[in-house]
Amino acid sequence: MLEKNIEAHLVSQIKKLGGVAYKFVSPANRGVSDRIVCLPDGSTWFVELKAPGGRLSPLQKVFQSEMARLCQNYVCLWSKEHVDEWIKERAYALA
């Protein structure tokens, strides 16, 4: 499974929830998450996507730690099934 397929799945599932998954590119800040997800409950998530067997780069680990320090919502999703599990949790919270 390619990372781009997992990312496309995330985008479509977030749209079904009524949210938006913005593509995030920050040339001056390498290691930032792939997507910023805004959900109808007002929550915002920084979402990193990886193919099964992938790993976070050192800069991505720094970004993950920085988000934790700042008390921001951050998640790394590793497969379409992982996306579905995470979406199910968010859908439950939105209900």
Side-chain angles (χ1 to χ4, degrees):
M1 174 68 55
L2 296 175
E3 185 176 308
K4 69 179 183 178
N5 298 112
I6 298 167
E7 188 169 0
H9 183 68
L10 171 77
V11 171
S12 69
Q13 295 304 308
I14 292 297
K15 188 174 182 180
K16 287 179 186 176
L17 276 181
V20 179
Y22 294 104
K23 181 71 175 168
F24 191 33
V25 179
S26 182
N29 298 293
R30 294 179 59 211
V32 299
S33 61
D34 296 314
R35 294 279 174 166
I36 299 176
V37 173
C38 300
L39 296 173
D41 67 353
S43 66
T44 302
W45 286 81
F46 293 88
V47 180
E48 181 63 39
L49 297 146
K50 291 289 179 190
R55 63 184 171 120
L56 293 174
S57 72
L59 287 174
Q60 289 170 328
K61 289 178 183 177
V62 168
F63 182 80
Q64 181 182 36
S65 295
E66 185 71 357
M67 293 300 97
R69 184 184 74 76
L70 294 169
C71 299
Q72 299 300 304
N73 295 316
Y74 173 92
V75 66
C76 184
L77 303 173
W78 300 86
S79 66
K80 284 184 177 182
E81 294 78 21
H82 197 189
V83 167
D84 291 341
E85 290 170 17
W86 184 77
I87 292 288
K88 187 175 180 181
E89 291 171 10
R90 304 287 71 74
Y92 179 77
L94 290 171

